[in-house]
Amino acid sequence: MHAVQIVATVLAAAITVVAVALAVRAVLKMTSVIRLGQPDPGRFEGKGTRTVTMLKEVAGHTRMLKWGVVGAAHWFVMVAFIVLSLLVLEAYFEVVDPDLGLPLIGETAWFGLITEIIGVFGAIGIVALIGIRLSNRPGRGRLSRFTGSTMWQGYFVEWIIVAVLICGFLIRGFKAATGHLEFPVWAAPVSHALGNVLPDWEAGATVVACLKICISMTWLIVISLNVTMGVAWHRFLAFFNIFFKRSPDKPAGSGLGALKPMTSAGKPLDFEEADPEKDQFGVAHVEQFTWKGLLDFSTCTECGRCQSQCPAWNTGKPLSPKLLVLSLRDHAYAKAPYLLAGGGKDLTGEEKATEDQLKGVDVLAMAESERPLIGGVDEQGIIDPDVLWSCTTCGACVEQCPVDIEHVDHIVDMRRYQVLIESSFPSEAGVMLRNLENKGNPWGAPQNTREDWTKGLDFEVPRVGEVEDFEYLFWVGCAGAFEDRAKKTTRAVATLLHEAGVNYAILGEGETCSGDPARRIGNEFVFQMLAQQNVETLNEAFGERPVKKIVATCPHCFNTLGNEYEQVGGKFEVVHHTQLLAHLVAEGKLTPVQPVDGGVTYHDPCYLGRHNRVFEAPREVLGTAIEGGLTEMPRNSERSFCCGAGGARMWMEEKIGKRINVERTEEALATGAKTIAVGCPFCYTMIGDGVTGKGEQDNVEVVDVASVLLRSIKGDTSAV
């Protein structure tokens, strides 16, 4: 070995030892913090499915590729990071002797060709990502998805990749210049081209290999000293976060559809036996999230895709799903020394640790432990109440997250504690909760008026108990029974089912609220009370039928009955009315004869589309009933923009920023369509109000998909 090789070898070995030691310490720290979380035993079920899903999402980049160029560029960078890590390993051989390489594969032409191609496309990919980051700098304010991200960390990681890729080509270039490159020109054309312009310097490969190791280990040292550097750590944590996601068999975000049941010590809470002094009611402290929640926070890449799609953030409200997660992450790691020393509050609010246990805890960690999880600026809260209550639970954040963070579950868990223990929530929502408890519907309407929508129809609507033979139970829902606009949809659906000869029946006065608004606001007690009552009623109505079919016009009821009632013992086959209508049209039982003209656009309800993946059925119905085809809004299908009513926001005042329904209405009006079709009574109300607010009610009509179909079949607007 020459002097240069000896120095390079010693330097490479020294920095590697330091980097590995710090990395081990960082991993142990991160693991200890994540293990502070509460049990979540369901995450270990179905390991085979989880493995397949994880490999598909990672290798196929199924979430990232929805972003086109960004996704493709990231895929090449990811592959380059994984495969070209072998070349970092090879650099340890090259600092000793430029003629050395990886055993077995290092001298094969195919290895040279594959790594050369990956290196080229990895370089193109990282340059593209740097360009995208620069063009979306936070200086653009809320328009930038990187607003609030730690920008130096992103730049650091990206330029490290650039430097490592350059070093890889330079090593091969110097080998080619000195005649040591083991690959033919066809297998390493870029490297040979570099060799033609680089000097014949024997120590060149060794020096650059040492530099490459130093750069790589500097990266490892920096991220090891910054365990909250998600933009770097997600390269390792994303595999685990995707593997442990709530529903690995779901085609989209696993945190969509049903909410998690409320748990204590990893077990669903039974309210008949629950004791607030012994059982955990929601989340009051960061350590009360499950370990998967803490893994979520640690994995966040700060990419801001969730932020860019959030209806609250995009209308000037303080909620950013990204910033919420980052706040919880930073708080968890800042508080960790206190918690790891045995600190923490029990469920009565008393300190669990002794003075001796906390004696050596850093003063900053002790100060962090005193901060409330939910609180305003004056209280030094981690999450401001306005952030917590701005969420519509639309799921756009979960849909877009490339590492499967379950934002909605975490937000609702915090709401549960605020509602059930602190009784702290927007005052106007209290009326809705009292109405649910006392009247069985959020409007507080008398139960004996649930069937008033049937008045004026020219046929008898069958009731459960009056007819025995029915295929579908028509779940009308509170809005469909009490809200004037939604009643039009209910009558249209009933008319269409009657026209098609479908055997159906309604519960009438036996129906009560599904419990969706109670659950989304965080009142799990009221939800379970309503859900158990409804499950008992439904099971009695269906009798011994093996398949219990329900059709619902409200996506919130559709989601609750179909996805959440199983948690309280009810298993039903639930379809949305647009799905059933699309089937009836396809079967020829409903035949549109008079196309609706003037242009139609369709608004995807969050709980129908994004949460439950029903995108095509409403469009199929509209496609048969309108003339000239559907005019889509720019944000449609899984990227549809919320109407603003979900998450129980229907019953809360919108006091901050622009109204969400106005934002969506403006997008619909911009299409020039004269009809805005919806598939949800909440959307009907919100967009209808938006059209009125814009003064366009005489020019543009908001109607349900069912009403459009009925109009096309009968040409009779009186029924819609």
Side-chain angles (χ1 to χ4, degrees):
M1 292 175 69
H2 296 98
V4 172
Q5 292 166 334
I6 293 171
V7 172
T9 301
V10 171
L11 183 58
I15 195 170
T16 300
V17 169
V18 172
V20 170
L22 290 173
V24 170
R25 187 185 72 168
V27 170
L28 291 175
K29 179 178 181 180
M30 196 173 292
T31 305
S32 66
V33 171
I34 292 169
R35 292 182 66 181
L36 288 169
Q38 300 303 304
D40 197 351
R43 304 287 181 170
F44 294 92
E45 297 172 357
K47 292 184 179 66
T49 301
R50 292 182 180 279
T51 302
V52 171
T53 299
M54 184 268 290
L55 292 174
K56 280 182 180 177
E57 279 199 32
V58 173
H61 253 39
T62 53
R63 311 294 287 279
M64 287 290 295
L65 286 175
K66 292 178 181 178
W67 286 71
V69 173
V70 179
H74 190 276
W75 186 87
F76 282 115
V77 172
M78 178 198 72
V79 173
F81 178 80
I82 295 171
V83 175
L84 299 187
S85 294
L86 293 173
L87 298 187
V88 175
L89 177 61
E90 188 176 51
Y92 286 93
F93 293 92
E94 292 164 336
V95 293
V96 177
D97 185 346
D99 286 334
L100 294 178
L102 289 175
L104 302 177
I105 62 173
E107 295 185 0
T108 59
W110 62 265
F111 177 73
L113 178 62
I114 290 173
T115 51
E116 189 91 352
I117 292 171
I118 291 174
V120 170
F121 281 99
I124 295 171
I126 195 62
V127 169
L129 293 180
I130 290 172
I132 290 167
R133 186 179 292 273
L134 288 170
S135 65
N136 285 276
R137 289 189 301 276
R140 299 173 62 213
R142 284 176 174 262
L143 292 176
S144 170
R145 60 184 174 92
F146 294 117
T147 296
S149 298
T150 313
M151 294 301 287
W152 76 262
Q153 295 179 353
Y155 291 132
F156 173 78
V157 168
E158 289 166 347
W159 284 107
I160 285 286
I161 294 171
V162 171
V164 169
L165 288 168
I166 290 173
C167 286
F169 281 113
L170 284 176
I171 292 170
R172 288 186 174 181
F174 277 116
K175 282 186 172 184
T178 55
H180 295 298
L181 187 59
E182 54 269 66
F183 310 123
V185 175
W186 64 266
V190 177
S191 300
H192 277 283
L194 276 174
N196 292 334
V197 298
L198 289 174
D200 183 1
W201 181 27
E202 284 292 335
T206 295
V207 171
V208 179
C210 181
L211 178 62
K212 181 177 182 178
I213 291 169
C214 289
I215 291 171
S216 300
M217 292 304 106
T218 297
W219 174 80
L220 189 56
I221 289 169
V222 170
I223 73 167
S224 297
L225 295 174
N226 294 272
V227 289
T228 58
M229 195 170 173
V231 70
W233 282 106
H234 84 274
R235 296 179 178 195
F236 310 105
L237 296 178
F239 297 97
F240 299 100
N241 211 51
I242 294 170
F243 180 87
F244 287 117
K245 68 179 181 175
R246 178 149 62 90
S247 305
D249 53 343
K250 275 197 163 189
S254 75
L256 296 172
L259 281 174
K260 284 193 317 177
M262 203 161 92
T263 60
S264 180
K267 298 177 181 178
L269 204 61
D270 182 351
F271 278 97
E272 292 185 3
E273 301 177 359
D275 181 352
E277 294 189 358
K278 297 179 181 178
D279 296 303
Q280 181 180 318
F281 279 49
V283 169
H285 306 285
V286 72
E287 65 271 22
Q288 291 180 341
F289 287 106
T290 67
W291 62 263
K292 175 56 170 63
L294 296 177
L295 178 60
D296 270 359
F297 309 152
S298 303
T299 307
C300 180
T301 72
E302 304 190 25
C303 68
R305 286 171 180 80
C306 58
Q307 181 172 286
S308 72
Q309 303 297 304
C310 177
W313 181 259
N314 278 283
T315 53
K317 296 167 183 62
L319 169 63
S320 157
K322 177 187 72 178
L323 298 181
L324 179 139
V325 166
L326 297 187
S327 296
L328 293 171
R329 178 198 69 188
D330 293 345
H331 173 58
Y333 282 89
K335 188 179 180 181
Y338 160 77
L339 296 171
L340 292 170
K345 300 291 193 295
D346 63 22
L347 293 172
T348 63
E350 296 297 317
E351 176 59 59
K352 293 189 290 186
T354 64
E355 285 188 21
D356 285 343
Q357 286 177 296
L358 300 179
K359 190 182 298 180
V361 176
D362 181 77
V363 64
L364 294 177
M366 290 299 297
E368 193 73 21
S369 72
E370 296 300 321
R371 298 178 65 190
L373 191 65
I374 307 298
V377 175
D378 294 343
E379 303 165 279
Q380 293 188 313
I382 308 302
I383 305 297
D384 191 279
D386 285 332
V387 170
L388 185 68
W389 297 110
S390 290
C391 180
T392 67
T393 69
C394 71
C397 49
V398 179
E399 170 77 35
Q400 292 299 327
C401 182
V403 293
D404 279 304
I405 293 171
E406 296 158 3
H407 314 71
V408 173
D409 284 341
H410 305 320
I411 288 171
V412 172
D413 270 340
M414 289 186 285
R415 284 182 172 186
R416 284 166 170 166
Y417 180 82
Q418 294 300 306
V419 172
L420 294 171
I421 302 300
E422 297 291 338
S423 295
S424 177
F425 51 87
S427 58
E428 62 271 20
V431 176
M432 176 268 291
L433 290 173
R434 287 193 295 274
N435 285 336
L436 287 177
E437 290 189 71
N438 299 326
K439 300 288 188 178
N441 69 83
W443 280 276
Q447 187 70 358
N448 61 10
T449 62
R450 269 197 180 267
E451 298 179 28
D452 284 2
W453 64 269
T454 63
K455 295 175 181 177
L457 293 174
D458 57 5
F459 58 91
E460 188 69 24
V461 176
R463 277 91 169 159
V464 171
E466 296 177 4
V467 293
E468 295 296 327
D469 182 26
F470 63 90
E471 182 181 5
Y472 287 94
L473 187 146
F474 179 16
W475 183 272
V476 175
C478 299
F482 301 121
E483 207 276 326
D484 288 340
R485 280 174 284 201
K487 285 182 187 178
K488 297 178 182 179
T489 301
T490 308
R491 284 195 287 267
V493 171
T495 302
L496 289 165
L497 295 180
H498 177 74
E499 290 285 327
V502 175
N503 291 324
Y504 74 97
I506 63 170
L507 286 172
E509 293 181 21
E511 186 179 303
T512 191
C513 181
S514 68
D516 165 84
R519 189 169 224 197
R520 264 69 198 170
I521 203 173
N523 197 325
E524 188 75 2
F525 175 77
V526 170
F527 164 74
Q528 290 207 18
M529 177 186 73
L530 293 168
Q532 289 167 0
Q533 178 183 335
N534 281 326
V535 167
E536 184 178 340
T537 300
L538 288 167
N539 284 336
E540 183 180 341
F542 282 112
E544 298 301 318
R545 288 179 176 82
V547 180
K548 302 170 182 179
K549 296 182 180 180
I550 298 174
V551 57
T553 57
C554 175
H556 298 264
C557 297
F558 165 67
N559 177 68
T560 303
L561 272 63
N563 295 327
E564 297 183 335
Y565 273 19
E566 195 167 351
Q567 297 172 4
V568 291
K571 190 169 179 61
F572 309 107
E573 185 179 299
V574 187
V575 297
H576 189 250
H577 71 282
T578 58
Q579 293 175 295
L580 181 54
L581 294 179
H583 172 72
L584 295 174
V585 171
E587 291 285 309
K589 294 180 179 179
L590 292 173
T591 306
V593 294
Q594 184 177 330
V596 175
D597 58 12
V600 177
T601 190
Y602 172 65
H603 164 77
D604 288 275
C606 300
Y607 274 85
L608 181 63
R610 195 156 36 234
H611 278 278
N612 286 286
R613 320 314 292 172
V614 180
F615 299 119
E616 295 306 317
R619 288 173 170 80
E620 289 170 4
V621 173
L622 291 172
T624 65
I626 65 177
E627 189 171 27
L630 192 66
T631 303
E632 293 281 13
M633 285 182 259
R635 292 176 288 194
N636 64 77
S637 301
E638 67 268 14
R639 289 200 188 186
S640 179
F641 196 78
C642 182
C643 76
R649 290 291 321 174
M650 181 80 172
W651 292 274
M652 297 184 226
E653 290 296 326
E654 198 168 345
K655 302 172 183 176
I656 303 173
K658 183 179 182 180
R659 294 184 66 87
I660 294 173
N661 67 317
V662 171
E663 171 79 8
R664 185 54 165 173
T665 300
E666 288 175 352
E667 186 175 357
L669 293 175
T671 65
K674 296 302 180 185
T675 300
I676 303 173
V678 296
C680 170
F682 291 177
C683 299
Y684 198 158
T685 297
M686 299 300 281
I687 294 179
D689 288 350
V691 169
T692 301
K694 300 298 290 186
E696 292 290 333
Q697 66 273 20
D698 294 331
N699 304 316
V700 177
E701 185 180 21
V702 181
V703 292
D704 189 89
V705 171
S707 297
V708 176
L709 178 61
L710 182 60
R711 185 175 302 175
S712 176
I713 289 173
K714 287 195 163 188
D716 177 11
T717 60
S718 63
V720 300

